[in-house]
């Protein structure tokens, strides 16, 4: 279970995230929805431990990780899939996975073999440089790399950005599968249709604050969805 | 020139290239991984040369040198660790000018300390590998051949470390995306310290290896830094292969350039002409990667 | 990337480092010992020293010697009632720093005299500054004859008490000619000193022994200065040319590296290819027992060859060693002590620090010297009739931790000085020289040389 309490993020003098508190139970998915610039990425990065200006507490499965540096949080089971399908472009596909397998947070048994099974296309590309992959392939690799850490919590930042509808759908399916293995997922998305299909709850963000948290079913035609995302 | 003379000057060029490459390998590794131009690299090299001479002479001729080398490499690595923690950590990601100033300051401190500790006199140590090889009427110093072999070994070792070990994989990953690497569970702060210590130890190894062939004095840091930078710029800062190619070019240009009457007046200038040409045509150097 | 650093912390480190450097440098220049005499005040004498860089070795000895000289003078009441303080600033053996030091010493520290720097490159740059500001320079190290004779360089306040390149090259040429060899290989640093001295050597050699042949092309005589510490190219060129004799005027770190690397190629290198070379006690001392025996050396002021019936030098050696960690005084230490003492004596005689007044007490006057003979400053070009010592390196048999010379000849300065007629031809622009390029001037083009 991921529990975030009172997360505040400051960049120098500007305060960008205010008192963000959420809980995501095992096997549940929380969608974090908001416009561009609302603070979704900053919230996720705040939870990873990558932002020196972040304060507040983060715990995973009851273990308090506040004050831990990012690499320790990752080893404690927090996987981060940054936006733009970021990979180590100058490493091979194989190395991109290997590098993450050293960080064993849980015991869910993710191996390269299982990643190949999940994304058969990647296996054929394993000796290629990640920088030469297509957007969709890179996103698969980014997800595969996150899984290699056997995470208890996954933080995904717009994983469907720029992907073809077919791929968006399969990522949705994958997230559903991951939930069933007990991983807690925090998903920041612009694509609210996909997000709300797999989410259990949705948190709406505006100017760095949570304005409302709703069960996914109610969020779909909520007034806040229309107001914030303009749909 | 007879074929025998061509071989003679080619080996001379190789020895010169080996000397430059041994020093530049660590410089290149550090720049490649940390994107920091380490002006103190020559200083670590100089400290190691002094330590090798002092400890080596203390322990006695021959085997003493190898003992001196071990201590020198350890000392250089340890100083590198301290410098990384105290200075470099504060300048990562800054513009290169700030990094240059920071590491230049370190080089000044070390230069001052070396003068206080070791004095102004040149020191020398006898070669641990005496003897020479006679071939076609000309003699080749065994120690120069050893330096060439050492340069090749160091080059291969650094390459293998980068491309055949998990440490090297992490270093390459850190070059591409340190943030992501951190979020992948690697302690990047410690990785940087490790890399810098390896770079410093390589500088130390270079100082040790070069010590028996030269007068070790308090200015050998700057003697070598200029040419080491020149070869790094030609080959591409950060590329081990590039440093090797750059060293070969410079070594051969100097070796042949000085003995051919027509090129003698320009031999050293030619090194910098090549450097300037490379900077104009291909600013990242022959084998360098563009800065992200 | 921002253009302005977000924080100035790294700059704090730089500032700290600079502060440390300044403090260290300042400590090095402080005078030692308390003075009981009462002085009218303090005056400074400047020396731009190569405490680092190619000639660090020389600057170290000169600085120590000048300090000792200043202490000796102050103990006798100073100069014109003033206590003299040495103002020694490191130039890293580079010309730009030497220029900046000279300006600082003259304009900020108001030095009353300068001691000449180590290499002719620095001296060539310092001389016009000193001339313009009317500050006398006593030069005991850099020695290109151009400094005191060539019309576009001459400085009426520049006094040379070191054998100049003409005298020294002549001594070396005669030394090599006596060996009566067929093939000579030349290696020399590519700047004013090397070119000037090598020209004098070749001219003297040809005059004394016309059958000798120089095997390497004149354009390959010279190596870059300061140079790459690897000497493979020169060593291999010698191997390829197989000369009977190598003539060299490379010095300091260059000579040590060259010798070390040549011996690594072949321990018999200097037996196969004997060498006539400029040497000082510093090179002998640095290499110690590794310095090859049998080298045909020419030296400017080796203490061990000048001690006979020379109480003044013996006393200097013991006091220098007592004060400086048992080090032996180098040639440079001996000559610069003379330089300082000469200036002090002349300034006292002039009862003034004014360069015009002091120079009157220098030009044509005779002075004591540590070298065991009196030296006279010829007024035509303000050059002292100082000698050169030649000999062959040999073990000192444990007397010193370095080799000394055997078959010593102390050549007399009067026999080496440039003939007056030639001096005047040079000063009168009658020898072919391109204005502004001192390295093109060759006295061998003077009418009187051609005639002889």
């Amino acid at each position: 279970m991921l529990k975030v309490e009172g997360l505040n993020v400051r960049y120098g003098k500007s305060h960008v995230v205010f008192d963000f508190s959420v809980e995501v139970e095992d096997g549940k998915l929380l969608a974090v929805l908001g416009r561009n610039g609302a603070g979704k990425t900053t919230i996720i990065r705040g939870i990873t431990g990558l932002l020196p200006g972040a304060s507040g507490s983060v715990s995973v499965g009851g273990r308090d990780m506040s004050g831990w540096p990012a690499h320790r949080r990752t080893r404690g089971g927090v996987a981060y899939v940054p936006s733009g399908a970021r990979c180590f472009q100058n490493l091979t596909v194989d190395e991109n996975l290997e590098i993450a397998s050293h960080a064993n947070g849980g015991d869910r048994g993710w191996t390269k073999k299982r990643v190949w099974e999940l994304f058969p296309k990647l296996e054929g590309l394993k000796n290629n440089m990640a920088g030469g992959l297509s957007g969709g392939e890179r996103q698969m690799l980014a997800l595969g790399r996150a899984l290699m850490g056997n995470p208890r919590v996954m933080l995904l930042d717009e994983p469907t950005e720029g992907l073809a509808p077919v791929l968006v759908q399969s990522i949705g399916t994958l997230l559903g599968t991951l939930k069933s293995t007990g991983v807690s997922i925090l998903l920041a998305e612009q694509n609210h249709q996909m997000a709300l299909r797999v989410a259990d709850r949705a948190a709406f963000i505006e100017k760095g604050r949570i304005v409302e948290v709703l069960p996914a079913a109610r969020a779909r035609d909520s007034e806040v969805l229309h107001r914030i995302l303009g749909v | 020139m007879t074929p025998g003379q061509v071989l003679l000057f080619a080996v001379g060029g190789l020895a010169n290239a080996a000397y430059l490459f041994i020093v530049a390998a660590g410089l290149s590794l550090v720049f490649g991984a940390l994107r920091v131009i380490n002006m103190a690299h020559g200083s670590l090299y100089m400290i190691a040369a002094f330590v090798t001479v002092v400890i080596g002479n203390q322990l006695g001729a021959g085997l003493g040198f190898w003992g001196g080398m071990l201590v020198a490499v350890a000392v250089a690595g340890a100083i590198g660790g301290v410098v990384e923690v105290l200075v470099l950590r504060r300048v990562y990601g800054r513009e290169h000018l700030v990094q240059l100033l920071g590491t230049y300051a370190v080089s000044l401190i070390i230069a001052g300390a070396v003068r206080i500790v070791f004095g102004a006199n040149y020191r020398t140590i006898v070669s641990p590998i005496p003897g020479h090889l006679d071939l076609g009427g000309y003699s080749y110093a065994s120690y120069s051949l050893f330096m060439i072999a050492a340069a090749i070994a160091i080059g291969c070792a650094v390459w293998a470390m980068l491309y055949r070990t998990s440490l090297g994989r992490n270093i390459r990953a850190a070059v591409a995306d340190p943030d992501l690497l951190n979020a992948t569970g690697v302690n990047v702060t410690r990785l940087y310290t490790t890399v810098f210590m390896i770079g410093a130890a390589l500088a130390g190894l270079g100082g040790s290896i070069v010590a028996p062939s030269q007068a070790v004095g308090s200015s050998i840091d700057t003697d070598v830094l200029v040419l080491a930078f020149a070869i790094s710029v030609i080959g591409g800062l950060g590329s081990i292969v590039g440093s090797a190619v750059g060293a070969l070019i410079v070594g051969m240009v100097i070796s042949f350039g000085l003995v051919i009457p027509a090129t003698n007046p320009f031999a050293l200038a030619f090194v910098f002409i090549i450097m300037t040409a490379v900077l104009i045509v291909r600013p990242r150097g022959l084998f360098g990667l563009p800065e992200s | 990337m921002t253009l302005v650093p977000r924080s100035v912390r790294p700059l704090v480190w730089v500032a700290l480092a600079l502060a440390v450097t300044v403090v260290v440098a300042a400590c090095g220049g402080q005078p030692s010992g308390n003075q009981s005499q009462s002085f009218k005040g303090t005056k400074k004498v400047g020396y731009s020293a190569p405490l680092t860089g190619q000639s660090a070795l020389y600057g170290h000895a000169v600085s120590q010697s000048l300090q000792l000289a200043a202490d000796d003078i102050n103990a006798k009441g100073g100069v014109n009632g003033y206590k003299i303080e040495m103002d020694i600033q490191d130039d890293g053996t580079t010309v730009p720093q030497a220029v900046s030091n000279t300006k600082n010493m003259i304009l900020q520290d108001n030095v009353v005299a300068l001691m000449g720097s180590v290499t002719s490159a620095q001296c060539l740059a310092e001389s016009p500054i000193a001339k313009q500001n009317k500050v006398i320079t006593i030069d005991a190290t850099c020695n290109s004859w151009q400094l005191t004779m060539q019309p576009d360089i001459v400085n009426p306040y520049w006094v040379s008490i070191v054998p100049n390149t003409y005298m020294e090259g002549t001594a070396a040429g005669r030394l090599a000619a006596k060996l009566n060899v067929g093939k000579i290989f030349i290696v020399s640093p590519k700047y004013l000193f090397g070119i000037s001295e090598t020209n004098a050597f070749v001219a003297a050699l040809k005059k004394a022994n016309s059958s000798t042949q120089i095997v390497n092309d004149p354009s390959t005589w010279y190596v870059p200065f300061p140079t790459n510490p690897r000497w493979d190219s020169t060593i291999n060129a010698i191997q390829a040319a197989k000369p009977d004799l190598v003539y060299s005027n490379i010095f300091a770190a260059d000579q040590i590296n060259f010798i070390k690397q040549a011996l690594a190629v072949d321990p018999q290198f200097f037996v196969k290819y004997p060498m006539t070379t400029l040497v000082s006690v510093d090179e002998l001392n640095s290499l110690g027992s590794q310095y090859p025996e049998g080298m045909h050396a020419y030296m400017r002021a080796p203490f061990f060859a000048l001690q006979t019936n020379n109480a003044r030098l013996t006393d200097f050696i013991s006091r220098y060693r007592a004060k400086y960690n048992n080090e032996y005084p180098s040639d440079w230490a001996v000559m610069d002590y003379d330089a300082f003492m000469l200036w002090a004596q002349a300034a006292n005689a002039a009862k003034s620090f004014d360069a015009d007044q002091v120079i009157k007490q220098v030009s044509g006057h005779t002075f004591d010297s540590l070298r065991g003979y009196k030296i006279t400053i010829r007024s035509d070009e303000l050059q002292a009739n100082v000698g050169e010592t030649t000999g062959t390196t040999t073990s000192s048999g444990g007397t010193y931790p370095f080799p000394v010379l055997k078959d010593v000849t102390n050549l007399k300065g009067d026999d080496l000085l440039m003939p007056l007629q030639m001096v005047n031809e040079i000063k009168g622009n009658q020898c072919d020289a391109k204005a502004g390029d001192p390295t093109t001037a060759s006295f061998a083009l003077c009418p009187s040389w051609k005639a002889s």
Side-chain angles (χ1 to χ4, degrees), chain C residues 35-178:
Chain C
Q35 299 299 327
S36 49
Q37 283 107 330
S38 60
F39 292 106
K40 285 191 222 164
T42 300
K43 296 280 184 190
K44 288 184 173 177
V45 169
Y47 174 53
S48 178
L51 296 176
T52 57
Q54 194 271 351
S55 298
L57 191 55
Y58 296 170
H60 167 74
V62 174
S63 303
Q64 292 186 160
S65 181
L66 288 174
Q67 196 61 61
L68 182 61
D71 290 350
D72 286 355
I73 282 296
N74 289 333
K76 289 182 194 156
V79 177
N80 297 330
Y82 286 86
K83 181 184 172 184
I84 303 300
E85 202 172 88
M86 284 312 301
D87 183 1
I88 296 173
Q89 299 186 6
D90 183 18
D91 62 27
T93 326
T94 67
V95 171
Q97 193 57 46
V99 167
S100 140
N101 288 352
T102 305
K103 285 182 182 163
N104 280 342
M105 292 187 293
I106 294 175
L107 301 175
Q108 281 176 23
D109 301 348
N110 298 311
V111 295
V112 289
L114 289 164
M115 298 291 123
S117 276
V118 162
T119 83
S120 292
Q122 282 124 295
C123 290
L124 197 56
E126 290 164 1
S127 179
I129 304 168
K131 176 181 170 184
Q132 191 183 6
N133 292 285
K134 277 187 57 175
V135 176
I136 188 169
T137 305
I138 314 292
D139 162 35
T141 312
C142 64
N143 71 335
S144 298
W145 58 258
Q146 283 85 345
L147 287 165
T148 59
M149 296 181 214
Q150 192 160 304
D152 48 347
I153 298 172
V154 162
N155 165 357
Y157 310 110
W158 187 280
V159 182
S160 166
I161 65 156
V162 55
N164 64 29
T165 47
Y166 173 87
M167 301 164 75
E168 194 165 69
T170 302
R174 289 178 191 163
L175 180 67
K178 266 199 297 191

Side-chain angles (χ1 to χ4, degrees), chain A residues 30-86:
Chain A
L30 173 75
V32 176
L33 303 176
R35 291 186 187 214
N36 255 339
K40 303 188 297 290
T41 298
T42 311
I43 288 168
I44 288 196
R45 285 172 63 81
I47 300 171
T48 61
L50 284 169
L51 298 179
S55 60
S57 80
V58 174
S59 69
V60 172
R63 202 149 129 217
D64 186 9
M65 295 187 173
S66 320
W68 287 19
H71 67 96
R72 261 188 90 193
R73 295 187 191 195
T74 306
R75 285 171 178 246
V78 179
Y80 169 45
V81 181
S83 64
R86 255 158 82 191

Side-chain angles (χ1 to χ4, degrees), chain B residues 8-9 15-16 19 90 94-95 105 115 121-122 124-125 132 137-139 141 144 212-215 219 255 261 264-265, chain C residues 3 9-10 17 52-54 57 190 219 222 228-230 232-233 236 239 242 253 256-257 260-261 264-265 267 290:
Chain B
L8 182 68
F9 291 108
N16 218 326
Y19 154 70
R90 293 152 210 273
R94 294 284 172 73
E95 55 272 48
R115 276 203 292 288
N121 276 331
Y122 296 116
T124 60
I125 183 169
H132 55 100
Y138 302 119
S139 297
S144 292
S213 65
Q214 278 184 29
S219 60
S255 184
N264 171 285
Chain C
L3 280 172
R9 270 171 105 180
T52 57
Q54 194 271 351
L57 191 55
K190 187 189 288 172
S219 64
Y222 302 105
N228 174 14
R230 291 294 307 181
D232 307 82
S233 193
N236 291 335
Q239 287 204 65
K242 300 195 188 308
I256 295 167
N257 287 336
K260 269 191 84 81
Q261 288 164 27
V265 164
Q290 292 177 60

Side-chain angles (χ1 to χ4, degrees), chain B residues 83-126:
Chain B
V83 168
E84 201 275 343
V85 171
L86 290 183
V87 182
L88 289 192
R89 262 183 207 178
R90 293 152 210 273
V91 300
Y92 290 134
R94 294 284 172 73
E95 55 272 48
H96 286 315
L97 181 64
V98 175
Q99 302 175 339
L100 283 175
L101 284 173
T103 54
Y104 181 58
V106 171
S107 78
L108 289 180
I109 293 170
I110 293 180
V114 162
R115 276 203 292 288
I116 291 167
V117 175
F118 298 105
N121 276 331
Y122 296 116
R123 291 167 188 248
T124 60
I125 183 169
V126 292

